[in-house]
Amino acid sequence: MSKAFTKETDTDPDDDESAALPVIPAGNKNYITPQGYQRLRSELLELIDVERPKVVEVVHWAASNGDRSENGDYLYGKKRLREIDRRIRFLTKRLEIAEVVDPSLHAGSEQIFFGATVTYVDDEGVERTITIKGIDEADNREGQVSWISPVARALLKAKEGDEVPLHTPGGMRMLEVVAVTYPEPGSAA
C-alpha cells in the first residue's frame, strides 16, 4: 500500500499534554489552595506577558536571517514556543476547573480535611509530617502530598488519635494520627 493511503494522526507526539501531568480522578474536582491558585495564575501570566513575547521576538529575528533549516535560534525558538503554548493551554484548563479551598477555615479542628498538615506514625514507629495539597501544587520534597495520593486518601476525615489502614503494594499498614494543624486565617501558608 502506498503512503498516500495511510492515516496520519493530527497530533504531534511531542504535544501529548497528558503524558507526565497529574490526572484528576473522574467525577472529582480540582481542589487547590488559594496560594497554589495564585502561583499557577502568576506562572500563566508570566508566560503570556513576558516569556512568550521574548521567544516570538527571537524566532522572528531568526526567521529574518534566511535559511531556517540550519538556524539554531529559529529551530530552538519554535520548539520553545510549542512548549510555552502547551504549558499555557494546560494552566488555562486547570485554572478554569480549579476549586479554591481555604484550609484556614478548619483552623482548630482535629479532623483531617484538604489543606491539613498531619503528623502520623506508621506501624514501624516512623513519624512523618505531610501537608495535603492540590494535584498541581503538591511537592514531595517539601512534605506535601496530593489529596488523591493513597496516604492522603487514607488520612482524610480521620481525627487526632485515630488509627487508619493504608493499603500499599507491600500489604496493609496502620497509621496513627498524632497531630492535625491548619494555617491560621489570614496567614499566607
Side-chain angles (χ1 to χ4, degrees):
M1 180 190 317
S2 83
K3 183 152 176 85
F5 294 105
T6 60
K7 183 177 180 182
E8 292 183 23
T9 60
D10 292 334
T11 58
D12 180 0
D14 294 332
D15 197 32
D16 187 12
E17 290 180 32
S18 60
L21 302 173
V23 178
I24 300 168
N28 286 304
K29 298 179 180 178
N30 184 24
Y31 297 113
I32 192 166
T33 63
Q35 297 80 16
Y37 183 88
Q38 190 56 45
R39 186 181 55 77
L40 291 182
R41 188 171 183 281
S42 295
E43 180 185 350
L44 176 63
L45 294 175
E46 175 78 13
L47 287 171
I48 291 171
D49 297 337
V50 179
E51 186 75 18
R52 192 173 195 287
K54 282 183 188 176
V55 175
V56 167
E57 187 177 319
V58 169
V59 168
H60 176 70
W61 168 81
S64 69
N65 287 337
D67 185 15
R68 297 176 185 173
S69 65
E70 294 182 12
N71 186 331
D73 289 327
Y74 178 79
L75 296 174
Y76 173 76
K78 291 294 281 185
K79 181 179 182 200
R80 180 68 184 127
L81 205 52
R82 284 191 303 273
E83 291 168 354
I84 290 170
D85 288 342
R86 184 174 27 253
R87 184 68 180 166
I88 287 172
R89 282 191 308 273
F90 171 77
L91 290 171
T92 301
K93 287 177 189 175
R94 284 303 235 251
L95 290 171
E96 285 174 356
I97 62 169
E99 180 151 334
V100 180
V101 177
D102 187 359
S104 68
L105 298 175
H106 297 290
S109 174
E110 292 183 356
Q111 192 168 14
I112 301 170
F113 296 107
F114 178 83
T117 298
V118 182
T119 301
Y120 65 89
V121 177
D122 66 17
D123 50 11
E124 294 179 351
V126 177
E127 183 175 292
R128 290 190 175 92
T129 301
I130 60 167
T131 302
I132 301 171
K133 297 270 190 148
I135 295 168
D136 299 317
E137 62 182 326
D139 183 355
N140 288 332
R141 296 171 297 207
E142 307 243 343
Q144 301 168 350
V145 297
S146 165
W147 66 273
I148 64 167
S149 69
V151 70
R153 288 198 175 247
L155 291 169
L156 284 171
K157 304 276 174 96
K159 296 180 181 178
E160 284 184 19
D162 286 356
E163 282 197 22
V164 296
L166 172 64
H167 301 282
T168 68
M172 178 74 71
R173 307 284 303 267
M174 293 303 291
L175 309 177
E176 180 183 350
V177 180
V178 176
V180 178
T181 58
Y182 292 92
E184 291 298 319
S187 71

